[in-house]
Amino acid sequence: MAPLGIAVCFYLIYELSTLTHILFAAWILLGLVVYETYGVKHSSLNTEPE
């Protein structure tokens, strides 16, 4: 039953508009930039003075 559910999800994602895919990618990239920036600044391995 799981492969059918996976196939249906892929079909639904495939049917979304191009704009939706572009906006999703933009939000993912923005989130990764924020995550990376926060992680570098607050890392316990960061030895630079603040």
Side-chain angles (χ1 to χ4, degrees):
M1 211 52 185
L4 178 61
I6 293 169
V8 169
C9 286
F10 278 128
Y11 172 74
L12 290 174
I13 292 170
Y14 176 76
E15 289 297 316
L16 292 172
S17 70
T18 303
L19 177 61
T20 302
H21 285 119
I22 292 169
L23 291 174
F24 178 74
W27 277 110
I28 290 293
L29 288 175
L30 178 64
L32 288 174
V33 168
V34 170
Y35 179 79
E36 182 70 23
T37 303
Y38 179 87
V40 168
K41 185 175 180 180
H42 292 88
S43 172
S44 61
L45 300 175
N46 187 0
T47 57
E48 297 176 12
E50 293 185 17

